Amino acid sequence: MLRIISYITYVILLFIAQNLCAQAAQEKDSSEIRTRERVLKAIDEEKERVVREEKSRLKKEVEFIRELETKGEITKEEAQNRKEEKARRTALNIENKLAVLENKRALVERGEEKGWEYLRGATLGIGIGSNYDGNGSRLIGIQFENVRKDKKYDRRTYSNIVVALGFNNALIEGESLNDSPYKTGGSRFFELGWQWKTRILKNSNAVRVSYGLSFQSNGLKPESNQYFEKEGEITRLKTYPYDLKKSKFRQDNLVVPVFFEFGPSKRTDYDDYFRYSTRKKINVGIGGYAGINLTSRQKLKYTSEGRTSREKIKDDYNTNNFVYGLAAYAGIGGSSLYLKYDLNPVFKSPNIKQNNISLGLRFEL
C-alpha cells in the first residue's frame, strides 16, 4: 500500500513539475516578447532624441557664431562658412547615427541582440541558470539589465570629496605667532567634506563657485607641561601637577564653505556633449566658511608614581558655539596649498582673544 501511495505521489509531482516548466517557458517567451517591444520602442525614441539633440547643438553653435560676428571677432563671410560647415557636420552626424540605430533595430527584431543598453530604466528578473553577454547578466538566478543614462549636453555642476590636513596654531591678541604657547608641529587640523562646483559663465569656465558641507577638526597642543582648565567663564593654560606626555585640545566643527574659484580650463567637444577640464591647470580659490561647534575636548596622558594614565575630558571650555572664517587655496588640478583663519575667537569673552589659523594641503578627490 505504501509503495502504491509513493507511485501516485511521484506521478502527481511529475505532472505538477511539467506544468510548472511549461508555464515558466510560456512566461519566459512572453517576457522576452515584452522586453523586445520595449527595446524597439526605446530605439525609436533614441532616433528621435538624436535628431533633437543634434539640431539643438547646431542651434547653440550658430548662436555662438553670431555672437562672434556681432562682436567683430570674425567677418560675415567667415561666419557664413562656419555655419555651413556646422550644418554639414550635423547632417552627417544624424545620418550616421540613425544608420547605426536602424542596424541595431534590425538585429533586435531578429533576436540576434537584446539591446538592453537602450532601456531607460533598470530591470530586475528572477531566472534559472546563468549567462553573460554585453548588455546584462544573470547570476545565481537573478538577472540584471543595464541602465542607460543620457549625457547632458552642458554639465555645469560637479561634485566631489574634499580632504584637507596640515598644521594649526592660534594668533593671540597682543602676541606674535613666534610667542605661541602651542607646539607648531604637534598642533594640526583635519577637514573632510563634500562640495559642489558650478560654472558661473555661459561660454567660459574661468570662474566657478564651490559650496558644500565639511567637518573640521582643529587641534592645539600646549607646550611646557600645560593644559586647559576652566574656571567659571575663564579658560586658561595652567601647569599640570604631573609629567604630561601628551596634552591636546580639540574642537570639532560642522561648517558650510563657499569659494569663488578662478583659473583656466580645457574644453573638449564630443559628438553630443562637451566638457571642461581643470586637470593639470592652475586654480585659485577665495572664500570662507560658517557653521557650528560640535564638541570641544581635551586629551591628557601623564605619568604619576611610575604609572601612565590617560584622561579624556569633554566640556564646552567656554568656546564659541558659532564658527566662521576666511579661507583660500592655490594649486594645480585637484591638489592645492590651503590657508584658513577663524574670525571668531576660540574662547568667549572675557577670555583673551585667540583665533585658529591653519596651513596645509587640500585635495579634491
Side-chain angles (χ1 to χ4, degrees):
M1 186 66 181
L2 183 60
R3 181 175 297 180
I4 294 174
I5 294 174
S6 299
Y7 285 152
I8 293 173
T9 303
Y10 174 76
V11 170
I12 292 173
L13 291 175
L14 182 61
F15 177 76
I16 293 173
Q18 288 177 340
N19 285 338
L20 287 175
C21 289
Q23 184 178 355
Q26 290 176 355
E27 289 179 355
K28 179 182 178 182
D29 292 340
S30 177
S31 175
E32 289 180 353
I33 292 173
R34 289 196 302 270
T35 302
R36 186 180 302 170
E37 290 174 351
R38 285 176 56 207
V39 171
L40 293 174
K41 182 179 178 182
I43 293 176
D44 291 337
E45 291 174 352
E46 179 70 8
K47 290 162 64 177
E48 295 175 0
R49 187 192 67 83
V50 165
V51 175
R52 186 172 58 253
E53 288 193 356
E54 285 293 334
K55 289 182 177 180
S56 176
R57 188 178 72 162
L58 176 61
K59 182 180 178 181
K60 292 179 180 179
E61 290 174 340
V62 169
E63 288 177 355
F64 180 67
I65 294 171
R66 285 174 180 167
E67 289 179 5
L68 295 179
E69 182 184 357
T70 302
K71 294 177 181 178
E73 297 182 14
I74 60 175
T75 64
K76 183 177 180 180
E77 182 180 357
E78 185 179 355
Q80 185 62 31
N81 291 335
R82 289 192 183 185
K83 291 176 186 177
E84 292 176 356
E85 176 59 30
K86 294 293 185 183
R88 282 193 295 269
R89 177 183 173 184
T90 299
L92 286 173
N93 286 344
I94 292 175
E95 180 183 350
N96 295 337
K97 290 179 179 179
L98 290 183
V100 171
L101 291 170
E102 285 291 350
N103 292 332
K104 189 73 174 182
R105 195 181 197 285
L107 289 170
V108 173
E109 284 181 329
R110 294 198 303 268
E112 298 296 331
E113 291 190 14
K114 291 184 172 60
W116 287 344
E117 66 269 23
Y118 292 98
L119 295 177
R120 294 291 188 269
T123 301
L124 173 65
I126 307 298
I128 299 174
S130 62
N131 69 291
Y132 286 85
D133 57 30
N135 301 315
S137 65
R138 178 178 294 170
L139 179 62
I140 316 178
I142 303 177
Q143 177 178 295
F144 300 91
E145 295 179 4
N146 289 345
V147 181
R148 176 183 172 85
K149 292 184 178 180
D150 294 333
K151 287 185 178 293
K152 194 174 181 180
Y153 176 72
D154 181 9
R155 184 180 176 188
R156 302 184 68 162
T157 300
Y158 294 84
S159 60
N160 58 298
I161 297 173
V162 174
V163 177
L165 69 165
F167 302 112
N168 186 59
N169 215 298
L171 290 177
I172 302 176
E173 187 176 28
E175 297 183 14
S176 69
L177 194 59
N178 291 329
D179 298 326
S180 172
Y182 309 115
K183 297 178 181 179
T184 304
S187 302
R188 303 183 184 93
F189 83 95
F190 175 77
E191 183 174 336
L192 176 65
W194 185 268
Q195 75 166 4
W196 289 268
K197 189 178 294 185
T198 301
R199 188 177 90 242
I200 295 179
L201 305 177
K202 180 180 179 181
N203 297 315
S204 172
N205 195 41
V207 184
R208 287 88 65 181
V209 58
S210 69
Y211 44 93
L213 189 67
S214 291
F215 168 80
Q216 288 182 352
S217 181
N218 298 319
L220 294 172
K221 284 189 175 181
E223 294 182 326
S224 305
N225 209 61
Q226 296 185 99
Y227 76 110
F228 281 102
E229 184 172 90
K230 176 183 174 183
E231 298 175 347
E233 295 182 350
I234 303 298
T235 301
R236 58 166 59 95
L237 286 172
K238 297 186 68 175
T239 302
Y240 202 66
Y242 305 112
D243 183 21
L244 278 174
K245 301 297 182 183
K246 180 180 181 179
S247 175
K248 180 181 179 181
F249 176 74
R250 194 185 85 195
Q251 285 183 285
D252 295 334
N253 306 322
L254 187 66
V255 300
V256 176
V258 178
F259 290 94
F260 286 97
E261 185 178 284
F262 309 89
S265 59
K266 179 182 178 182
R267 171 171 169 157
T268 303
D269 288 280
Y270 300 93
D271 288 339
D272 53 357
Y273 67 98
F274 72 90
R275 293 291 183 265
Y276 286 102
S277 173
T278 57
R279 185 172 179 267
K280 296 183 179 179
K281 301 292 184 181
I282 296 174
N283 58 77
V284 177
I286 301 173
Y289 51 90
I292 58 173
N293 173 234
L294 299 176
T295 61
S296 299
R297 66 188 68 200
Q298 188 169 204
K299 293 182 180 180
L300 303 176
K301 180 181 177 182
Y302 57 91
T303 302
S304 174
E305 298 179 355
R307 298 179 60 183
T308 300
S309 301
R310 294 177 175 83
E311 285 189 33
K312 294 182 181 179
I313 309 167
K314 185 177 179 181
D315 202 333
D316 64 1
Y317 286 97
N318 295 311
T319 56
N320 278 298
N321 296 325
F322 297 98
V323 294
Y324 51 93
L326 301 174
Y329 59 86
I332 298 176
S335 304
S336 54
L337 188 66
Y338 183 48
L339 174 67
K340 67 181 183 71
Y341 175 71
D342 285 358
L343 293 175
N344 66 286
V346 177
F347 304 107
K348 299 175 184 177
S349 179
N351 287 280
I352 297 175
K353 185 179 178 181
Q354 49 183 309
N355 303 66
N356 279 307
I357 183 169
S358 308
L359 178 65
L361 297 176
R362 182 179 184 271
F363 303 98
E364 296 182 3
L365 306 179

